[in-house]
Amino acid sequence: MIGITLLGSTGSIGVSTLDVVARHPERFRIVALTANRDAEGLAAQCRRHRPEYAVMADPAAAGELKRRLAGMAQPPEVLAGTDALASVAALPQVDYVMAAIVGAAGLLPTLAAARAGKRLLLANKEALVVAGSLLMRAVADTGAEILPIDSEHNAVFQCLPRDFSHGSGLDDLGVEWILLTASGGPFRGTPLEALAGVTPEEACAHPNWDMGRKISVDSATMMNKGLELIEACWLFDTRPERVRILVHPQSVIHSLVQYRDGSVLAQLGNPDMRTPIAHALAWPERIASGVGALDLLAVHRLDFRPADPERFPCLAFAYEAANQGGTCPIILNAANEVAVDAFLHRRIGFMDIPTVVGETLHRLPREGVEGWEVEQLLEADQRARRVAEQKLPQSVL
Ligand code: NAD
Ligand code: MG
């Protein structure tokens, strides 16, 4: 039996992961479930999946979870706080860790899993954006495996030779380009002058994917694709100029790899995260995911177009940060987290998001991060958050 810790189990990826895991009780068992504050949601998951540990990042919520589980036969051990998240990611009885916390908050437990040599199923792209070099080094040093959950990177991984591993070098494999597809989000056709007035509800209503609120807003600004560009550079050991972005509104082709001989390999499927989750859980085997067969006759047509830089200024900031490296991706991500949170709380408008990101990125100097430990990376993250807070427009909408 493969033991699994699921970081962020009450979220969109967490719920999809539990759905796949529950289809294969002979293969997987849940060792630990974790959430931020949703004690009610985590209690229901504990009754259904019977983990050994349940962790709430928020200590007050951990008290509530204990009360809710009081009547349960053999309840899980309830733990609280960030250290507990990291400790359940490194337990000896855990083989696989699904990193599905949203934002840089997921970095420490994700890093703990890599340092403990686990198979890391990585959804938490912000962890790689903030600490790519540390995470990839931990994976190499301990023999941990990293399998991408992000649908685009999972698709790229599936289109690379089976023996691909970090350090293979895309050139040696004959790869010319990685082509990341993007839906373009809910506002790909909205008149430019209307974008300033869109609401959080409109931004979170993604045309093809059902996701958490933060990544839904990132998809609407296309910062999500920018973070994915940086994620791809780390996962596939390449440079931003080898990664291209293609708007593909149907979200059926999840990404492509173009080889030197003119061959282009793509991975297709219905837009349902249970496919990449099942792929990474079973790799190199294949297991049922619950996702229905793709009906290409029903899809009918596949469209492609370039990303519009005027509509999606975040994309250019992400390329800039990816090219500059050092602390720039940390600053980009921190400013974006601050701005998206402010937008979701109706403190700023939608088009203020790229403004805050750009101003923060250009306000702070780039610093090299070679030899930095995680504490230094997180200090840079905190510095950028403070600057981004100051850049938030003060007018209340
Ligand atoms: P979500 O908001 O639905 O869920 C986030 C989870 O993290 C919840 O369980 C929440 O309790 C937990 N969490 C939030 N803040 C925390 C904190 N400070 N400390 C500890 N736990 C915390 O998010 P999601 O859509 O499931 O996305 C999770 C990650 O996966 C993100 O990094 C996202 O970019 C990535 N991802 C998501 C999708 C998708 O389809 N949802 C696709 C690709 C990648
Ligand atoms: Mg993605």
Side-chain angles (χ1 to χ4, degrees):
M1 287 285 264
I2 293 168
I4 297 177
T5 283
L6 176 39
L7 301 167
S9 64
T10 54
S12 160
I13 293 286
V15 168
S16 293
T17 304
L18 287 174
D19 182 281
V20 178
V21 164
R23 290 168 194 274
H24 304 279
E26 70 304 336
R27 195 172 181 125
F28 304 117
R29 93 189 158 90
I30 296 291
V31 176
L33 294 176
T34 86
N36 191 21
R37 293 203 185 93
D38 178 9
E40 186 182 354
L42 194 59
Q45 291 184 337
C46 287
R47 283 191 215 97
R48 167 87 175 81
H49 298 278
R50 313 198 69 80
E52 291 173 45
Y53 297 91
V55 186
M56 305 263 14
D58 177 57
E64 192 196 331
L65 180 65
K66 267 190 201 155
R67 282 191 295 284
R68 285 179 177 272
L69 292 176
M72 183 179 163
Q74 294 175 307
E77 187 171 335
V78 175
L79 305 172
T82 320
D83 291 350
L85 292 174
S87 63
V88 295
L91 289 167
Q93 66 272 44
V94 167
D95 305 290
Y96 296 179
V97 175
M98 167 60 83
I101 292 174
V102 58
L107 173 57
L108 289 174
T110 301
L111 189 60
R115 287 184 167 158
K118 308 301 186 192
R119 174 181 288 197
L120 183 57
L121 285 67
L122 188 80
N124 181 205
K125 65 194 84 185
E126 297 92 343
L128 262 187
V129 171
V130 173
S133 62
L134 266 193
L135 261 172
M136 297 314 289
R137 196 179 341 128
V139 168
D141 287 351
T142 62
E145 292 173 297
I146 185 161
L147 286 161
I149 295 297
D150 219 342
S151 57
E152 297 77 3
H153 305 74
N154 184 271
V156 169
F157 184 76
Q158 293 198 45
C159 296
L160 288 173
R162 170 108 165 228
D163 57 358
F164 169 82
S165 63
H166 191 74
S168 304
L170 290 190
D171 281 333
D172 293 346
L173 299 173
V175 173
E176 217 147 26
W177 303 103
I178 288 177
L179 302 168
L180 298 181
T181 52
S183 68
F187 306 136
R188 61 177 176 248
T190 308
L192 275 182
E193 58 282 6
L195 284 179
V198 300
T199 65
E201 290 68 32
E202 288 165 331
C204 289
H206 196 280
N208 308 335
W209 298 94
D210 182 10
M211 307 182 288
R213 284 165 70 77
K214 191 264 180 181
I215 185 177
S216 295
V217 176
D218 286 349
S219 298
T221 61
M222 277 190 84
M223 178 58 96
N224 184 47
K225 217 48 54 180
L227 299 175
E228 291 183 357
L229 158 75
I230 300 170
E231 182 185 14
C233 290
W234 287 116
L235 287 173
F236 306 119
D237 206 4
T238 192
R239 299 274 317 146
E241 59 270 19
R242 303 291 288 274
V243 183
R244 291 183 164 180
I245 288 161
L246 200 57
V247 173
H248 162 47
Q250 290 91 354
S251 298
V252 166
I253 297 185
H254 299 307
S255 277
L256 315 90
V257 176
Q258 179 155 354
Y259 287 89
R260 194 174 291 147
D261 62 4
S263 299
V264 181
L265 302 192
Q267 187 259 354
L268 286 70
N270 288 322
D272 186 323
M273 289 307 292
R274 291 177 300 173
T275 295
I277 291 167
H279 171 268
L281 279 170
W283 187 84
E285 293 173 39
R286 298 273 181 176
I287 55 172
S289 64
V291 179
L294 175 64
D295 180 353
L296 279 172
L297 288 176
V299 171
H300 189 59
R301 56 182 276 180
L302 300 172
D303 295 305
F304 305 96
R305 60 185 82 138
D308 170 0
E310 209 186 337
R311 182 177 296 271
F312 302 116
C314 284
L315 210 45
F317 295 139
Y319 266 99
E320 183 185 332
N323 277 312
Q324 296 205 331
T327 47
C328 292
I330 301 177
I331 298 166
L332 176 91
N333 179 69
N336 183 57
E337 287 194 32
V338 168
V340 171
D341 187 70
F343 170 68
L344 285 171
H345 288 92
R346 298 176 202 279
R347 291 171 60 203
I348 65 171
F350 182 72
M351 290 311 280
D352 294 327
I353 298 173
T355 306
V356 170
V357 169
E359 285 183 0
T360 308
L361 187 62
H362 298 142
R363 163 78 179 69
L364 281 159
R366 176 198 184 279
E367 295 173 76
V369 297
E370 297 79 35
W372 279 23
E373 277 309 318
V374 69
E375 294 75 17
Q376 291 161 288
L377 299 173
L378 289 173
E379 279 165 24
D381 167 86
Q382 289 301 324
R383 276 198 296 280
R385 279 170 203 265
R386 283 194 291 275
V387 172
E389 287 285 353
Q390 289 161 7
K391 299 281 176 197
L392 292 178
Q394 292 310 306
S395 63
V396 178
L397 294 175

